[in-house]
Amino acid sequence: MPHASNIVYCDGPDSPHAFDIVPVLPRNGTLDAMCPVCKGHGQWNTEIDLVSFRCQRAICGHCLGAGWIETGSDLIGLPDITLNANGQPEWTTVYVSRDDLAAREGGDSGLTVTP
């Protein structure tokens, strides 16, 4: 049996319902300022049902989902997957500078951000 729904599609973080039920992320202490794109949320709704509040979300490409950015010269830690000595994948953290990250954002970064 179909249920009532009112699905709204959001074009980006400037859409009216983009941040409905998306909390602002706490600052973890290593990043300096709230992301100017997602305003601290790290993600936004691309589709939301205003009746059931089921949603699909997009990760912010500017802060990579952290909600906060580095404004100084400190390195930024990004999650990455590498192969260990046994050939098995494992999570690791790769550190890049803001300049390197900005250069990568202009072209193919080699980084894949998934929700």
Side-chain angles (χ1 to χ4, degrees):
M1 175 176 220
H3 65 279
S5 66
N6 181 12
I7 297 176
V8 175
Y9 298 93
C10 303
D11 293 331
D14 296 329
S15 297
H17 296 283
F19 295 113
D20 288 3
I21 69 168
V22 181
V24 173
L25 298 173
R27 180 174 175 254
N28 67 9
T30 61
L31 300 173
D32 298 332
M34 222 178 242
C35 176
V37 175
C38 69
K39 296 165 185 58
H41 295 272
Q43 57 187 330
W44 56 81
N45 299 316
T46 57
E47 177 181 318
I48 184 168
D49 184 342
L50 297 178
V51 175
S52 67
F53 292 104
R54 292 181 180 176
C55 59
Q56 294 181 16
R57 295 183 178 169
I59 299 296
C60 178
H62 187 70
C63 66
L64 303 175
W68 296 79
I69 59 170
E70 174 61 45
T71 59
S73 60
D74 292 343
L75 296 177
I76 301 166
L78 302 173
D80 197 6
I81 298 176
T82 59
L83 296 178
N84 64 20
N86 297 329
Q88 299 295 316
E90 63 184 12
W91 283 103
T92 186
T93 302
V94 62
Y95 292 93
V96 296
S97 70
R98 174 54 71 186
D99 294 336
D100 290 343
L101 189 58
R104 291 179 182 192
E105 286 176 357
D108 181 20
S109 68
L111 300 173
T112 303
V113 180
T114 56

